[in-house]
Amino acid sequence: MPKVVDPQLRRRELAEAVWRVIQRDGLEHASVRNVAREAGLSMGSLRHYFVSQSDLMAFALRMVVDRIEQRIEALPQDDDVLRYAASVLAELLPLDDQRRAENEVWLAFTARAMTDPELRALRDEGYNALRAGCRGLVAGLVGPGRDVDQETARLHALVDGLAVHAAMRPDMDTPEAMHAVIVGHLAELRTSQAERPTIEPWR
């Protein structure tokens, strides 16, 4: 009797094979042939689940977004808004092997998204979701007189910057260092605008 294969499970396994190839060899080597070899399948079998390389790449990128969203949704509610905000942001940063893989894959796809409309749409969706998430966290934290739009942009830039730095220099931007930066920034958000130094705008 032939073995029954869960199509969704196999698609996720193939996406994870894409991730491994990208992490090890770079995005330019994530061909259908190489991904099939990585997953232990024939090219014909892979095409049973993905009609094209573009379809496979889009699914691999979509899985990054989906997994982050699932982890955030699974977080327990916490009356301490600062601690809850730190927990949410932790799911976006490369603090362990899985999140490190997601981060590296996301960054690898950023350049490809410039010329691939489907990947660009997914990239923009992820960007918008992160921006909206930062705004929700900021709205629950900001002290009196703070500009929510400005603080949303600051937090978004901080999270993106830490993710890029951790991919470039994980020896310097360690999980402990990133946690300290995030917690410090969130705590600073709770102060009033009057407590912040005034700096002249750029000319």
Side-chain angles (χ1 to χ4, degrees), residues 26-197:
L27 180 58
E28 66 275 15
H29 292 286
S31 63
V32 170
R33 182 185 302 278
N34 289 341
V35 172
R37 183 185 301 117
E38 179 70 24
L41 296 175
S42 67
M43 290 176 63
S45 295
L46 186 151
R47 289 199 170 95
H48 179 71
Y49 300 99
F50 295 100
V51 297
S52 65
Q53 184 190 32
S54 181
D55 186 29
L56 172 60
M57 295 298 107
F59 185 85
L61 185 56
R62 160 65 65 186
M63 199 164 77
V64 173
V65 177
D66 288 348
R67 287 193 172 181
I68 292 171
E69 289 179 344
Q70 288 164 10
R71 291 199 304 270
I72 291 174
E73 289 172 3
L75 288 173
Q77 291 301 313
D78 194 327
D79 293 334
D80 185 326
V81 291
L82 195 154
R83 186 167 55 202
Y84 177 72
S87 296
V88 170
L89 296 176
E91 298 302 340
L92 301 165
L93 294 170
L95 304 182
D96 57 21
D97 289 343
Q98 178 176 324
R99 285 173 284 186
R100 195 156 32 249
E102 292 167 353
N103 186 52
E104 291 174 8
V105 168
W106 182 265
L107 293 175
F109 274 119
T110 300
R112 175 75 68 88
M114 299 294 290
T115 56
D116 186 314
E118 189 171 5
L119 292 180
R120 188 184 312 128
L122 287 171
R123 180 203 63 189
D124 292 348
E125 180 184 332
Y127 179 98
N128 293 340
L130 177 54
R131 190 71 162 208
C134 287
R135 186 178 184 84
L137 296 177
V138 163
L141 284 169
V142 288
R146 294 281 188 134
D147 184 312
V148 172
D149 289 337
Q150 184 183 87
E151 297 304 343
T152 296
R154 275 216 307 158
L155 181 58
H156 189 174
L158 177 62
V159 172
D160 272 351
L162 286 174
V164 172
H165 289 181
M168 295 172 60
R169 290 296 304 270
D171 57 319
M172 294 178 62
D173 291 276
T174 63
E176 295 76 18
M178 287 187 283
H179 177 265
V181 170
I182 287 293
V183 170
H185 180 77
L186 294 176
E188 192 265 341
L189 272 177
R190 307 196 77 173
T191 62
S192 71
Q193 180 67 26
E195 296 175 74
R196 296 183 63 193

